[in-house]
Amino acid sequence: MIRKSFFLSALLLALVAMTAWQSAKASGVAAAGEEEELDPIHHSVDGNYLDFSPIGKVELPRIFIISSAEGGLSVDFFLTSTAAVERGGYKASWDATHEGGEDAAAHGDDGAETIAEPLGGYYEAHLAPPGGGHVLVDMSITRHLLFAWIGMLIVWLLFTRVAKMYKAGIGRETAPRGLLQNMLETLILVVRDDIARPAIGAKTDRYLPFLLTAFFFILTCNLLGLVPFGATATSNLMVTAVLATFTFVITQVGGTKDYWMHILWPPGVPTFVKPILIPVEILGIFTKPFALAIRLFANMTAGHLVILSLIGLIFSFTNLFGSGAGYGVAPVSVAFALFIYLLELLVSFIQAYVFTMLSALFIGMAVEEHDHGHHAELSPTH
Amino acid sequence: MVLAANLLAPNAGLIFWIAITFGILLILLRRFAWGPITSALTDRESSIQDSLDEAKNALAEAKAVQADNTRARREAEADAQRIMREARDAAEKLRSEEVENTRAQLRQLQEQAQADIEREKQNALNMLREEVAHLAVDAAGKILRDTLDAERQKKIVGDMLGDLSRN
């Protein structure tokens, strides 16, 4: 992955490293095809392989729940996509619009334009099981899933280790010791004292584990996206949707009678307004987690797209005006990309904070025991 | 649009995996990490708060003790001054009494001496009177023995009285 071309150990070092990486990538792209463009979307979306370009790509396991032609369900497992095609007899087809080759377009099962000719690796193809069945659910271990798991593993290892220190008495009877414990404790206290407690109040302890898990999982995933060869699990709408769904479920389960009263029979408004307000309130239940999911997804995707587009300028200039223009625009592109990279570092923390804070706010509004004197001012649609 | 389709493509498998694993992570972390960590933090906070409260109480106590001490010292000083003053007064009183006594005694002795002298003087006068009377009687006897005429008697008495006054 181009955007993960350097580590933030020092700004200067990063700049030099990134420039070096760009030239390496440029030569790699040039080797792959003369007219090849860098496609930012293609590098941002999920995939069934790990991209270590220009070194190579590592295929990821495929798991399919298939519905055979006779109507039976079965599960297929292959270590790689290639194995699925070569040993499992799966049929591969490619998106016609991807990487050119529109001449050979044909209509696939799903109605989209697909072609049967191999245009890339099998890991980029749509796979269909042999014998006329179809894939019911693709349970494959994708790149984003793998990086989400890596993120979970990191969070798990970090916090069980710190928890062990607290259990041993360090930080309980004494001051916290060492960089790790101090750093993580600071973040934990931010979540507890600046996010959870002001929003939720007395019931904070019940919802704190979710908020902490969400915060550190999102933060870790965001930062993993900035590591060379990494991928951002939180730039996948499925992942953010699941996280938002957790917030949604917790909010509704924890909702007090007051909360439901506010939605189903909003107090403090004339009765003739209620038919308008009630649908709005009900819609509000769903728009809040929806906004959560979209916000995180869009923020994490946008930064990467901007970086990739800036890098892509180099190739566009090369294609349009020759390699001289490409080399000329490279330093500018790299400098801007570096700036966006730093911005993304900031955004990683901000978005983890925002998701957690809004989750806390929604939960807080739902579980709050209302002071009945102030009904008119409190509406869940805030 | 392919662009949007790629970015927004639904993936039920991914949803399933993330939901399951995030749920497991949540449960495990809650049990093995957040529980111990937050309880440790709460413990530490309450112990720090307790320590602060204790320190505040101890300070207040120390201040009270100090105030007590100061008050006690002042009282002791006042006592000492009072005692010294009393002692001085007593000594002064004692001394003046002593002087007064001595004076009284002296006066008494003087008066006694004067009285003695007066008495002795009276005694001496009395003894003199007796002696004079005795002499008079002796003289009278002599007169009688010599049976003298009146002139002679008168002359003898007159001589005697002249002797007496010469004495």
Side-chain angles (χ1 to χ4, degrees):
Chain A
M1 301 238 104
I2 298 162
R3 66 180 185 279
K4 288 98 190 191
S5 53
F6 52 85
F7 220 92
L8 196 79
S9 54
L11 289 186
L12 194 64
L13 196 68
L15 186 61
V16 171
M18 188 148 171
T19 317
W21 183 253
Q22 286 330 307
S23 47
K25 178 68 188 176
S27 58
V29 170
E34 279 300 305
E35 291 294 308
E36 190 170 9
E37 288 269 347
L38 183 87
D39 180 3
I41 302 289
H42 183 230
H43 285 269
S44 296
V45 296
D46 207 356
N48 291 303
Y49 58 95
L50 294 177
D51 197 344
F52 293 107
S53 305
I55 301 160
K57 288 173 178 169
V58 176
E59 289 191 42
L60 292 172
R62 305 299 300 263
I63 303 165
F64 300 110
I65 296 175
I66 53 169
S67 167
S68 64
E70 297 85 48
L73 286 175
S74 60
V75 177
D76 274 358
F77 176 83
F78 303 100
L79 267 178
T80 62
S81 304
T82 311
V85 175
E86 289 176 354
R87 290 195 280 111
Y90 273 70
K91 290 199 297 282
S93 57
W94 285 263
D95 281 335
T97 44
H98 177 62
E99 300 188 359
E102 279 163 51
D103 315 334
H107 288 284
D109 291 339
D110 52 358
E113 282 194 307
T114 57
I115 48 170
E117 266 176 46
L119 287 169
Y122 290 122
Y123 47 80
E124 286 183 329
H126 298 291
L127 298 180
H134 65 277
V135 175
L136 202 65
V137 188
D138 184 355
M139 302 284 285
S140 304
I141 315 299
T142 63
R143 183 167 55 221
H144 283 162
L145 177 59
L146 189 67
F147 273 89
W149 283 352
I150 292 171
M152 289 177 187
L153 190 69
I154 290 171
V155 171
W156 167 254
L157 290 176
L158 282 181
F159 286 98
T160 46
R161 200 175 147 193
V162 169
K164 223 172 273 171
M165 293 179 81
Y166 281 108
K167 274 185 200 157
I170 304 165
R172 187 186 288 266
E173 283 109 27
T174 66
R177 194 181 301 154
L179 178 69
L180 184 72
Q181 197 183 10
N182 274 296
M183 200 169 67
L184 295 182
E185 188 186 299
T186 307
L187 290 174
I188 290 171
L189 290 179
V190 165
V191 174
R192 192 191 66 177
D193 296 341
D194 294 341
I195 298 176
R197 281 197 178 153
I200 304 176
K203 292 178 179 171
T204 299
D205 288 350
R206 196 185 302 169
Y207 299 101
L208 194 56
F210 167 69
L211 296 174
L212 285 168
T213 311
F215 179 82
F216 286 107
F217 172 66
I218 292 170
L219 180 61
T220 312
C221 284
N222 291 352
L223 292 176
L224 274 178
L226 299 175
V227 170
F229 306 119
T232 323
T234 40
S235 72
N236 189 307
L237 189 57
M238 304 304 116
V239 177
T240 60
V242 169
L243 291 172
T245 307
F246 268 88
T247 300
F248 173 76
V249 170
I250 287 169
T251 307
Q252 308 321 318
V253 169
T256 56
K257 201 169 136 252
D258 281 328
Y259 169 72
W260 291 109
M261 272 295 290
H262 272 262
I263 291 163
L264 300 175
W265 197 248
V269 293
T271 311
F272 70 88
V273 183
K274 289 187 202 252
I276 308 166
L277 211 51
I278 290 166
V280 170
E281 295 279 10
I282 289 171
L283 211 59
I285 302 175
F286 299 98
T287 52
K288 281 182 284 188
F290 184 74
L292 271 184
I294 296 289
R295 182 183 296 107
L296 181 57
F297 154 74
N299 271 286
M300 296 324 296
T301 307
H304 290 14
L305 287 184
V306 170
I307 287 184
L308 287 164
S309 302
L310 284 168
I311 299 302
L313 278 181
I314 301 171
F315 303 101
S316 299
F317 271 67
T318 308
N319 286 341
L320 287 170
F321 308 113
S323 63
Y327 281 112
V329 81
V332 181
S333 279
V334 169
F336 274 95
L338 177 63
F339 170 71
I340 301 294
Y341 182 96
L342 294 177
L343 201 66
E344 273 216 81
L345 202 59
L346 188 66
V347 168
S348 295
F349 282 88
I350 291 172
Q351 288 308 316
Y353 176 82
V354 165
F355 188 97
T356 314
M357 198 193 64
L358 289 176
S359 293
L361 222 57
F362 298 153
I363 293 170
M365 283 193 296
V367 302
E368 187 178 30
E369 303 291 352
H370 282 172
D371 173 5
H372 283 261
H374 297 87
H375 268 255
E377 296 162 32
L378 293 165
S379 162
T381 48
H382 283 182
Chain B
M1 221 183 131
V2 173
L3 189 151
N6 276 344
L7 274 179
L8 305 175
N11 183 344
L14 185 58
I15 290 175
F16 169 80
W17 283 123
I18 294 286
I20 294 288
T21 48
F22 185 78
I24 292 170
L25 180 76
L26 178 55
I27 290 162
L28 287 180
L29 279 179
R30 183 195 165 102
R31 170 80 181 76
F32 294 107
W34 308 133
I37 290 172
T38 49
S39 76
L41 290 176
T42 315
D43 282 359
R44 198 177 78 208
E45 272 157 16
S46 60
S47 82
I48 288 172
Q49 193 55 51
D50 289 351
S51 303
L52 285 175
D53 291 347
E54 265 171 37
K56 206 187 277 173
N57 290 343
L59 189 67
E61 230 167 81
K63 270 185 183 157
V65 167
Q66 199 184 21
D68 274 359
N69 285 347
T70 311
R71 197 158 42 77
R73 208 189 64 224
R74 288 224 181 90
E75 276 173 9
E77 274 172 9
D79 276 357
Q81 273 177 352
R82 187 175 48 78
I83 288 166
M84 271 173 70
R85 199 170 54 241
E86 278 173 7
R88 213 183 291 131
D89 288 355
E92 188 68 26
K93 205 169 132 195
L94 204 64
R95 199 169 63 89
S96 56
E97 270 174 10
E98 200 68 24
V99 167
E100 203 56 41
N101 275 352
T102 314
R103 263 191 204 138
Q105 257 172 346
L106 281 175
R107 202 157 41 229
Q108 206 180 352
L109 283 173
Q110 209 176 6
E111 280 167 4
Q112 213 172 344
Q114 269 176 345
D116 281 353
I117 290 167
E118 194 65 29
R119 205 172 48 242
E120 287 304 317
K121 191 175 140 190
Q122 215 62 47
N123 281 352
L125 282 177
N126 287 348
M127 276 167 71
L128 185 65
R129 277 193 197 102
E130 266 178 42
E131 194 67 27
V132 168
H134 202 64
L135 286 173
V137 171
D138 275 355
K142 272 176 189 170
I143 294 164
L144 284 171
R145 251 177 281 134
D146 291 345
T147 55
L148 299 169
D149 57 2
E151 278 91 341
R152 238 187 123 175
Q153 277 181 351
K154 267 183 196 173
K155 195 186 174 265
I156 292 163
V157 171
D159 287 347
M160 244 183 66
L161 286 173
D163 285 348
L164 200 81
S165 58
R166 236 178 274 140
N167 286 344

